[in-house]
Protein backbone atom coordinates (compact mmCIF):
# COMPACT_ATOMS: atom_id res chain seq x y z
CA UNK A 1 0.00 0.00 0.00
CA UNK A 2 1.40 3.35 -1.06
CA UNK A 3 1.55 6.13 1.49
CA UNK A 4 2.79 9.68 1.07
CA UNK A 5 3.45 11.58 4.25
CA UNK A 6 4.01 15.33 4.32
CA UNK A 7 5.79 17.10 7.14
CA UNK A 8 7.33 20.46 7.92
CA UNK A 9 4.25 22.64 7.99
CA UNK A 10 3.60 25.17 10.72
CA UNK A 11 3.08 28.80 11.60
CA UNK A 12 5.53 31.38 10.28
CA UNK A 13 5.61 35.14 9.95
CA UNK A 14 5.42 36.82 6.57
CA UNK A 15 8.85 36.88 4.97
CA UNK A 16 9.90 33.69 6.69
CA UNK A 17 10.72 30.24 5.33
CA UNK A 18 9.54 26.68 5.71
CA UNK A 19 10.70 23.43 4.15
CA UNK A 20 8.13 20.75 3.49
CA UNK A 21 9.02 17.11 3.02
CA UNK A 22 7.07 14.34 1.34
CA UNK A 23 8.22 10.80 2.01
CA UNK A 24 6.83 7.74 0.27
CA UNK A 25 6.41 4.27 1.71
CA UNK A 26 5.21 1.16 -0.05
CA UNK A 27 6.56 2.43 -3.33
CA UNK A 28 9.85 3.62 -4.78
CA UNK A 29 9.48 7.24 -5.80
CA UNK A 30 12.33 7.25 -8.25
CA UNK A 31 10.25 6.69 -11.38
CA UNK A 32 7.43 9.02 -10.43
CA UNK A 33 6.71 12.62 -11.21
CA UNK A 34 5.88 14.40 -7.96
CA UNK A 35 3.88 17.53 -7.45
CA UNK A 36 2.89 19.87 -4.65
CA UNK A 37 -0.58 21.33 -4.47
CA UNK A 38 -2.27 23.55 -1.90
CA UNK A 39 -5.77 24.36 -0.80
CA UNK A 40 -6.26 27.80 0.76
CA UNK A 41 -9.16 28.22 3.19
CA UNK A 42 -12.47 28.27 1.34
CA UNK A 43 -10.84 27.79 -2.06
CA UNK A 44 -10.17 25.04 -4.57
CA UNK A 45 -7.00 23.02 -4.52
CA UNK A 46 -4.35 24.54 -6.79
CA UNK A 47 -1.09 23.51 -8.37
CA UNK A 48 2.14 24.75 -6.79
CA UNK A 49 5.13 22.90 -8.28
CA UNK A 50 6.18 19.68 -9.95
CA UNK A 51 9.40 17.81 -10.63
CA UNK A 52 10.16 15.06 -13.10
CA UNK A 53 11.42 11.70 -11.89
CA UNK A 54 14.95 12.47 -13.08
CA UNK A 55 15.00 15.89 -11.36
CA UNK A 56 16.08 17.57 -14.56
CA UNK A 57 12.91 19.58 -14.95
CA UNK A 58 10.79 21.60 -12.57
CA UNK A 59 7.79 23.80 -13.10
CA UNK A 60 6.08 26.30 -10.82
CA UNK A 61 2.87 28.21 -10.54
CA UNK A 62 3.41 31.90 -11.28
CA UNK A 63 2.35 32.77 -7.74
CA UNK A 64 5.34 30.95 -6.22
CA UNK A 65 7.97 31.25 -8.95
CA UNK A 66 11.22 32.63 -7.58
CA UNK A 67 10.20 31.95 -3.97
CA UNK A 68 9.61 28.19 -3.84
CA UNK A 69 11.97 25.40 -4.90
CA UNK A 70 11.05 21.77 -5.43
CA UNK A 71 13.74 19.13 -5.19
CA UNK A 72 14.00 15.41 -4.63
CA UNK A 73 16.31 12.87 -3.11
CA UNK A 74 15.44 9.54 -4.67
CA UNK A 75 17.82 7.70 -2.36
CA UNK A 76 15.69 8.91 0.56
CA UNK A 77 12.41 8.49 -1.34
CA UNK A 78 11.65 12.08 -0.43
CA UNK A 79 10.62 15.24 -2.25
CA UNK A 80 11.04 18.69 -0.72
CA UNK A 81 9.41 22.06 -1.14
CA UNK A 82 11.56 24.93 0.10
CA UNK A 83 9.35 27.96 0.63
CA UNK A 84 10.99 31.35 1.07
CA UNK A 85 9.64 34.88 1.41
CA UNK A 86 6.31 33.51 2.52
CA UNK A 87 3.21 35.66 2.23
CA UNK A 88 -0.13 35.46 4.05
CA UNK A 89 -1.71 34.32 0.79
CA UNK A 90 0.48 31.20 0.92
CA UNK A 91 -1.61 30.01 3.87
CA UNK A 92 -3.09 26.65 2.89
CA UNK A 93 -3.04 22.93 3.41
CA UNK A 94 -0.18 21.63 1.28
CA UNK A 95 -0.38 18.23 -0.39
CA UNK A 96 2.17 16.18 -2.22
CA UNK A 97 1.16 13.80 -4.98
CA UNK A 98 2.90 11.23 -7.14
CA UNK A 99 2.25 10.09 -10.67
CA UNK A 100 3.50 6.60 -11.38
CA UNK A 101 6.12 6.50 -14.13
CA UNK A 102 5.72 10.11 -15.06
CA UNK A 103 7.31 11.37 -18.25
CA UNK A 104 10.48 13.44 -18.16
CA UNK A 105 9.12 15.58 -20.97
CA UNK A 106 5.82 16.73 -19.55
CA UNK A 107 4.80 18.83 -16.58
CA UNK A 108 1.83 17.51 -14.67
CA UNK A 109 -0.15 20.41 -13.23
CA UNK A 110 -3.65 18.99 -12.80
CA UNK A 111 -4.62 17.05 -9.72
CA UNK A 112 -6.26 14.40 -11.92
CA UNK A 113 -2.81 13.66 -13.35
CA UNK A 114 -1.68 12.14 -10.05
CA UNK A 115 -2.22 8.66 -8.66
CA UNK A 116 -1.22 8.97 -5.01
CA UNK A 117 -1.78 11.72 -2.46
CA UNK A 118 -0.61 12.58 1.00
CA UNK A 119 -2.87 13.69 3.81
CA UNK A 120 -1.67 17.29 3.76
CA UNK A 121 0.21 19.59 6.10
CA UNK A 122 -0.99 23.00 7.27
CA UNK A 123 1.05 26.09 6.49
CA UNK A 124 -0.06 29.33 8.11
CA UNK A 125 1.65 32.64 7.34
CA UNK A 126 0.85 35.51 9.66
CA UNK A 127 1.07 39.13 8.58
Amino acid sequence: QVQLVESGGGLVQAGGSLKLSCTASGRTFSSDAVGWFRQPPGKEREFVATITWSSDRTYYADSVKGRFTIARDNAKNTVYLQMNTLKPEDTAVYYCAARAYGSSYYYYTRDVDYDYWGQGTQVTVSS
Side-chain angles (χ1 to χ4, degrees):
Q1 184 173 346
V2 178
Q3 270 195 315
L4 304 183
V5 178
E6 302 96 337
S7 60
L11 174 64
V12 64
Q13 287 190 328
S17 298
L18 283 174
K19 186 175 184 178
L20 306 183
S21 299
C22 172
T23 301
S25 61
R27 176 176 181 81
T28 300
F29 242 178
S30 58
S31 299
D32 297 347
V34 177
W36 285 95
F37 290 75
R38 67 186 182 186
Q39 187 165 18
K43 296 185 178 180
E44 297 290 314
R45 187 162 58 188
E46 62 187 27
F47 167 77
V48 175
T50 186
I51 186 167
T52 57
W53 66 267
S54 56
S55 301
D56 61 342
R57 298 185 183 198
T58 57
Y59 184 76
Y60 300 89
D62 287 343
S63 58
V64 306
K65 203 172 295 183
R67 300 187 298 121
F68 290 11
T69 302
I70 187 171
R72 67 192 299 162
D73 184 339
N74 285 339
K76 295 183 178 180
N77 229 25
T78 299
V79 173
Y80 305 97
L81 185 68
Q82 176 67 48
M83 306 186 295
N84 298 328
T85 318
L86 283 160
K87 304 175 181 179
E89 52 263 43
D90 294 319
T91 294
V93 178
Y94 283 71
Y95 299 90
C96 69
R99 177 186 172 94
Y101 306 109
S103 169
S104 287
Y105 302 98
Y106 186 79
Y107 300 123
Y108 299 99
T109 61
R110 304 177 307 161
D111 52 7
V112 295
D113 291 329
Y114 290 86
D115 303 302
Y116 309 105
W117 289 83
Q119 82 291 347
T121 185
Q122 176 70 46
V123 171
T124 302
V125 184
S126 62
S127 57

